[in-house]
Amino acid sequence: MTELDRDLREAVDALRAGQLVGLPTETVYGLAADARNTQAVARIFAAKGRPADHPLIVHLASADQLDDWAREIPEAARRLAAAFWPGPLTLILKRQPDVPDAVTGGQDTVGLRVPAHPVAHAVLSAFGGGLAAPSANRFGRISPTTAAHVREELGDAVAVVLDGGGCEVGIESTIVDLSRGVPVMLRPGRVSASELSRVLGEAVLTPEAPDATAPRASGTLASHYAPNTPVRLLDAAALYVAAAAAARAGQRIGVLSRTLIDDAPAHGSVWLQLPNDPVGYAHRLYCDLRRLDQCGASVLLIEAPPQRAEWRAVNDRLQRAAADRPADGEGLPKP
């Protein structure tokens, strides 16, 4: 038996005992518990400090388990599952009556997905049931993309942390609501609205403003994915001006940029450059945000990505991370 086999067995035993497991997926690391065990699910909420009415996503080993958790499943759901599962897509569907309220936040809907990570698949297959698995971090904070992130943030609250390496996608799954007759994207992710529309043969709605009639879903609150350090989103020119002013004042800042600035004012600051493509940027975003959050900066400056469809998911995460940002100019010296 290999070390991984032993770790997998330990993780499955812990899940069956109602404990929490740090689970790697292709998106981010999840904090997994038996979705049918209300006491185990309660441990997720306690460990994360998560509001009780905020629903969880149930992870399944395959689409064959869909009917165990959802009812009135539309053909659109079958088509999307066939096209994108295993993968970074969550479907919101009418729930079966026996799905615990603790998982759904008391709603008549449930979020379901089949992750693509081989370790997650092995655990789910061996466990045999659904696992509720929100991101393995304190509620509203930066999602973890390595096993070390999970251990640093949640410590002894997690019985087992499986190390599956760095997450390939790096941001959370796309969430599509199929519970109201029309497909609606509630959270953007790696799977885009255009890809969904091509499979369905109809447009997927992508509302810009919050929809009061939509089911509550993971990661859709105004402030989310946030570092402890205040965040400001700026265009490249404004970022350079703010960084230069901070350097003159001897203020320590953290910077995430996409464009290479040869004469960046680095005094008292930490600069990280992310790839100038949305897939590469998403892959590194949370890891680099965590690095900057730990560098002792008074504020984090992020160069805002383009407002184009392919950047929608990244912009969504950054705007939520910066939702509690200081007022313009607050915390920064004047240019």
Side-chain angles (χ1 to χ4, degrees), residues 266-277:
H267 176 73
S269 64
V270 178
W271 287 68
L272 298 177
Q273 184 185 4
L274 272 68
N276 198 20
D277 71 274

Side-chain angles (χ1 to χ4, degrees), residues 28-31 44 47-50 134-144 149-150 153-154 172 224-225 290:
V28 300
Y29 273 70
L31 184 61
I44 291 178
K48 286 178 62 71
R50 187 183 180 96
S135 57
N137 56 279
R138 297 290 295 174
F139 183 72
R141 296 304 177 187
I142 306 170
S143 299
H149 295 161
V150 180
E153 188 145 350
L154 297 179
E172 299 77 6
H224 220 74
Y225 318 112
R290 282 178 174 271

Side-chain angles (χ1 to χ4, degrees), residues 57-77:
I57 293 171
V58 177
H59 294 62
L60 308 175
S62 79
D64 294 340
Q65 296 171 302
L66 198 56
D67 294 271
D68 296 337
W69 296 85
R71 70 182 200 277
E72 301 175 15
I73 302 172
E75 178 60 25

Side-chain angles (χ1 to χ4, degrees), residues 274-288:
L274 272 68
N276 198 20
D277 71 274
V279 172
Y281 191 109
H283 171 70
R284 282 183 43 190
L285 173 59
Y286 289 156
C287 189
D288 282 2

Side-chain angles (χ1 to χ4, degrees), residues 141-254:
R141 296 304 177 187
I142 306 170
S143 299
T145 54
T146 70
H149 295 161
V150 180
R151 296 188 186 101
E152 289 167 5
E153 188 145 350
L154 297 179
D156 293 340
V158 187
V160 179
V161 179
L162 292 170
D163 192 341
C167 296
E168 175 197 352
V169 176
I171 59 173
E172 299 77 6
S173 61
T174 303
I175 299 180
V176 177
D177 175 29
L178 296 171
S179 68
R180 295 176 292 165
V182 176
V184 181
M185 180 182 286
L186 301 184
R187 180 176 72 186
R190 170 69 71 85
V191 180
S192 68
S194 60
E195 290 174 301
L196 297 167
S197 297
R198 280 197 295 270
V199 170
L200 295 178
E202 63 176 309
V204 173
L205 301 182
T206 57
E208 294 296 332
D211 179 358
T213 66
R216 297 186 304 279
S218 295
T220 55
L221 297 180
S223 176
H224 220 74
Y225 318 112
N228 291 307
T229 311
V231 171
R232 295 189 63 198
L233 285 174
L234 302 168
D235 63 33
L239 185 149
Y240 183 87
V241 169
R248 288 194 298 272
Q251 182 178 1
R252 187 174 181 80
I253 61 171

